[in-house]
Amino acid sequence: MKNFYDFTLETLTHTLEAEGFKAFNAKQVFQWVYQKNIRDFEAMSNLSKPLRAWLIEHITLPQLTLHSHFVAPDETTKCAFVLSDREVIETVLMHHNYGKSICVTTQVGCNMGCAFCASGLHKKTRNLSQAEMILQVQGVIDLTGIKPTHIVVMGIGEPFDNFDHVMDFIDTVNSPYAYAIGKRHITVSTSGLAPQIEAFGLRQTQVNLAISLHAPNDALRSKLMPINKKYPLKTLMKSVDHYHTLTNRRVTYEYIMIKDVNDSLKEANELITLLKGKNAYVNLIPYNPVSEFSFECSEPAQIKRFYDALMKAGINATTRKEKGEQVNAACGQLRHQTLKEETHGLKNT
Ligand code: SAH
Ligand code: SF4
């Protein structure tokens, strides 16, 4: 039996054609599942009897199990899902003035080991399948009744370390026969895997790219993000330049503001030098403290000074209000909490 949610429209089309069915049948099945929310092949009334019988015999529609969820006062909803091998992942629904976004996890744990991040506290045990990413979206829709207008691939894990499944996932959420979320409404965030940034530019030219920068020089960035030793700033920026040539898209740089670590005007000026003349946008994010680390969030006045320096130098920036702080929404924090509580034998739902 194959998991339906592991198919892209293309692979389902090929599979059905190989079985003697028509290409448009794949579109019909996609619409039933993703748009009409029907998970019973028997109920797909415009499909022929033989096709329905074939689907029942060969394809399953398993769902993720919701372990727990929290809703913050700003209605940010954070879900912990259990996978079939009992691993726990997390997914967040955020409400913005421009729409609703779902933040999707791509790996069980993360191997990048960033010094400030709760996800990195748990080493990667495996990549998620396309199905497990799609089913996070479906699980949030089932729980809340809300259809997302945007997808951000910024949950636990390094998306470019699970490149092929993430690309398939993007194709499926974007498909007009599935969730039909426009490519410009999808954002992938990476810690800076240079070769995949170029590969992404070749494949997903309209999807937004965010780079987790967090430091404007190699010494500090290597301390905060070990991946910088493999792909230092020069290599990273070269790959981004290439991405830009391929796509002509503006790149967002995420910069978490950590008190007395990366938030002085010295770093602001280095950041200006690094990004000057590039089609760049800087997202200044207040650091969300993680109890295992001693890092603190920068003072609001310091964030403002940093922001003003960038803007004055002509670098576009925003200061992002962290959504869902009340539900431990930063990367990996609910999963980390869940695993900690399970270790201590506490129940979390
Ligand atoms: N691995 C990818 C995507 C997931 S992390 C990446 O690193 O880009 C999503 C974003 O959350 C990254 O920019 C990451 O640096 C940031 N982040 C991680 N821990 C955080 C914390 N405690 N507070 C604020 N942002 C955090
Ligand atoms: Fe992994 Fe991203 Fe967290 Fe770094 S910030 S440990 S790459 S999830």
Side-chain angles (χ1 to χ4, degrees):
M1 294 288 259
K2 278 207 79 170
N3 185 335
F4 172 80
Y5 299 98
D6 273 325
F7 284 103
T8 58
L9 185 61
E10 203 185 341
T11 56
L12 186 62
T13 303
H14 290 157
T15 303
L16 293 186
E17 278 183 326
E19 293 296 326
F21 301 108
K22 298 275 180 275
F24 70 83
N25 289 145
K27 293 177 180 161
Q28 291 174 313
V29 183
F30 255 50
Q31 283 173 319
W32 278 111
V33 174
Y34 288 116
Q35 297 180 351
K36 298 177 195 157
N37 227 355
I38 298 295
R39 292 170 197 159
D40 172 6
F41 292 123
E42 198 56 63
M44 300 182 180
S45 52
N46 60 354
L47 306 186
S48 68
K49 272 211 157 101
L51 175 56
R52 279 185 256 169
W54 186 89
L55 291 167
I56 291 166
E57 198 179 325
H58 295 95
I59 296 184
T60 54
L61 288 154
Q63 305 298 311
L64 300 184
T65 308
L66 185 68
H67 173 282
S68 54
H69 76 283
F70 301 91
V71 184
D74 69 358
E75 289 184 36
T76 297
T77 304
K78 184 129 187 166
C79 303
F81 291 106
V82 187
L83 307 178
S84 56
D85 56 1
R86 306 193 62 204
E87 294 282 8
V88 180
I89 55 165
E90 64 182 62
T91 312
V92 185
L93 169 71
M94 287 168 287
H95 301 254
H96 314 273
N97 49 15
Y98 56 80
K100 321 271 183 206
S101 67
I102 293 183
C103 179
V104 173
T105 282
T106 55
Q107 296 181 314
V108 179
C110 183
N111 270 352
M112 300 300 138
C114 300
F116 49 79
C117 175
S119 297
L121 286 167
H122 304 278
K123 285 272 157 253
K124 176 181 98 172
T125 48
R126 65 179 180 84
N127 283 331
L128 295 194
S129 61
Q130 183 201 202
E132 289 165 329
M133 288 183 258
I134 289 282
L135 287 168
Q136 293 174 57
V137 177
Q138 192 55 58
V140 172
I141 296 173
D142 288 348
L143 175 72
T144 62
I146 292 169
K147 281 215 158 173
T149 55
H150 294 66
I151 296 287
V152 289
V153 187
M154 287 193 187
I156 299 165
E158 168 47 56
F160 285 174
D161 186 35
N162 184 12
F163 193 80
D164 292 342
H165 290 164
V166 169
M167 295 305 117
D168 284 349
F169 165 74
I170 290 172
D171 285 348
T172 299
V173 291
N174 172 247
S175 166
Y177 302 96
Y179 298 124
I181 295 174
K183 289 196 172 181
R184 284 169 181 255
H185 284 195
I186 303 172
T187 302
V188 178
S189 173
T190 178
S191 56
L193 274 59
Q196 285 85 343
I197 289 172
E198 299 195 21
F200 183 69
L202 283 165
R203 290 188 50 153
Q204 298 290 352
T205 49
Q206 297 300 307
V207 175
N208 304 307
L209 176 65
I211 310 272
S212 294
L213 196 63
H214 307 327
N217 62 65
D218 280 323
L220 181 57
R221 194 162 190 271
S222 292
K223 258 194 228 162
L224 294 176
M225 307 181 71
I227 188 69
N228 193 71
K229 293 177 200 151
K230 191 163 181 194
Y231 303 116
L233 283 169
K234 205 169 159 213
T235 312
L236 174 62
M237 298 315 286
K238 218 172 125 194
S239 74
V240 177
D241 285 345
H242 192 206
Y243 167 86
H244 187 72
T245 315
L246 290 164
T247 64
N248 206 24
R249 300 296 314 282
R250 185 176 72 177
V251 172
T252 298
Y253 293 87
E254 315 259 13
Y255 196 102
I256 44 177
M257 297 296 290
I258 312 178
K259 190 178 179 183
D260 299 333
V261 172
N262 66 353
D263 65 347
S264 75
L265 286 181
K266 172 185 167 286
E267 278 96 24
N269 287 323
E270 287 175 339
L271 189 58
I272 291 164
T273 308
L274 188 71
L275 299 182
K276 196 88 200 164
K278 298 198 188 294
N279 194 0
Y281 187 83
V282 178
N283 215 344
L284 297 175
I285 306 162
Y287 178 64
N288 199 355
V290 177
S291 59
E292 277 75 5
F293 308 129
S294 56
F295 295 127
E296 291 170 47
C297 180
S298 305
E299 299 295 338
Q302 190 56 28
I303 298 180
K304 175 87 172 58
R305 271 194 286 277
F306 201 99
Y307 168 82
D308 287 344
L310 296 183
M311 292 298 277
K312 209 171 143 215
I315 308 279
N316 274 320
T318 48
T319 51
R320 183 167 91 191
K321 176 97 198 65
E322 258 316 277
K323 286 259 166 203
E325 231 165 273
Q326 302 91 332
V327 285
N328 279 335
C331 184
Q333 291 189 10
L334 176 65
R335 172 168 193 260
H336 177 55
Q337 191 61 30
T338 308
L339 295 178
K340 254 193 344 194
E341 288 178 6
E342 283 186 347
T343 315
H344 292 104
L346 297 173
K347 207 166 172 299
N348 200 15
T349 304

